[in-house]
Amino acid sequence: MIIMKFGGTSVGTAARIKNVAALVSSVPSCPFVVLSAMSGVTNSLVEIVGYLYNRNPDGARETIKRLESKHLQVAKELLEDSSADTFIKETFAGVAALTREYFGPVQEKMILAQGEQLSTKLMELYLKKQGVNVVLLSALDFMRLDDQGEPDQDYIREHLAPLIEGKADLYLTQGFICRNLRGEVDNLQRGGSDYTASLIGAAVNAEEIQIWTDIDGMHNNDPRVVEKTSAVRHLHFDEAAELAYFGAKILHPTCIQPAKFANIPVRLLNTMEPSAPGTLIDNNPEPGTIKAVAAKDNIIAIKIKSSRMLLAHGFLRKVFEIFESYRTPIDMICTSEVGVSVTIDDTRYLSEIVHDLKRYGTVTVDLDMCIVCVVGDMDWENLGFESSVLAAVKDIPVRMVSYGGSNYNISLLVKEEDKARTLQALSRQLFA
Ligand code: ASP
Ligand code: MG
């Protein structure tokens, strides 16, 4: 069985939904299709939730009306009848009813779940009209979180198996949504539909998990900045994990782990060009190759220098505890005997963090920095790759270099204003 997941823009209009329907019904074996909400819908549902937390039901009602007409309009264009209208109206009546009740996290999750319920219902009705024997499964019947709030993979496997025993041309379900341990409606966090696809793939031991988007495949560098880029056809799961932090456009980071452990290949494909090979991600390394360069802006570097670090133990723990207490993740880190530099991309508690760090040393902050990461076979016993990366940036001021954290990556921290020339220089050096 193959799993085919389509994101919000791939089902964002009636025409797009028809396009996806044609694609999935042309697969000869029975595929398992996972859909996101139509593009923008989850954001609007988040908006509604915001109004309700702020006790502004009128604000919420306006957005509810707008979303309802949008879905009715798409349904009319797609189905050319009113077969979806009752479902759509009842869905939004349900949301509107929540505006009159006590509002808390349980109600919030129920509202956020509606986007995927609607998109899959529209797809089901359209496929049925085309004569496809589609079975719509409710993700709420098998997707479940455990006591840690993590997907319960045993539960998912056991509960999904009997649901797909019958005869169908294809199975369809909602991405993103699930139940928690208390049986309440919950979700896998924003962008979580990729995660759904990966969890289903692992549960049914799929041949392949396909993530379909409308973006033009994966490039070995940023095509907006570098003139000549080429497509990346193959990545190791660990390389994809390194890159996920940067583009996140390729696939959601959480989706990698279930597929990697179950050893199921993930293929990134483009709905606009369905016959293109896309990018295959699996557990096979490709020795001796550099795959891609990626960058992330809005990075802050913080240096803590202290003569007390010299020969002392426990210094790093104290420093890290401060970041932990403000729930601020550290991305890059470099140490010397007398100091440590770290980067963060979440500035919410920057001044508090800096204030607390001053207990342990002299603190310097560099704003507007950019992490540039080179991904590929960076096994430390290989010769020449690190020096080649550093040779490329010989004319660019480099604030930090991080190497050896994984076998697949070397990262540089440069000024944001130097990002373009860093990417260009690396491209010339590594891919010319
Ligand atoms: N609809 C959800 C979101 O926008 C899940 C997804 O698209 O992956 O976050
Ligand atoms: Mg999405």
Side-chain angles (χ1 to χ4, degrees), residues 294 340 399:
V340 51
R399 168 74 179 77

Side-chain angles (χ1 to χ4, degrees), residues 108-154:
E108 168 185 346
K109 303 286 175 53
M110 284 165 71
I111 291 184
L112 295 185
Q114 299 312 315
E116 275 72 10
Q117 302 278 22
L118 288 156
S119 64
T120 48
K121 190 70 193 176
L122 290 174
M123 182 65 83
E124 180 202 26
L125 292 173
Y126 180 72
L127 284 168
K128 283 200 164 141
K129 271 198 117 174
Q130 308 303 303
V132 178
N133 179 16
V134 48
V135 173
L136 174 59
L137 301 175
S138 172
L140 302 180
D141 291 340
F142 61 88
M143 267 297 153
R144 192 160 171 125
L145 304 177
D146 63 16
D147 54 354
Q148 304 294 311
E150 297 291 335
D152 183 338
Q153 301 208 36
D154 293 329

Side-chain angles (χ1 to χ4, degrees), residues 5 7-8 36-37 42-43 116 175-176 189-194:
K5 179 261 166 178
S36 287
T42 310
N43 286 345
E116 275 72 10
F176 177 59
Q189 315 279 334
R190 293 305 308 273
S193 294
D194 289 1

Side-chain angles (χ1 to χ4, degrees), residues 315-334:
F315 179 81
L316 286 177
R317 180 177 52 75
K318 289 182 199 143
V319 166
F320 289 155
E321 264 171 7
I322 291 173
F323 289 89
E324 195 187 339
S325 68
Y326 292 104
R327 297 167 147 269
T328 300
I330 292 172
D331 295 316
M332 247 177 110
I333 157 159
C334 291

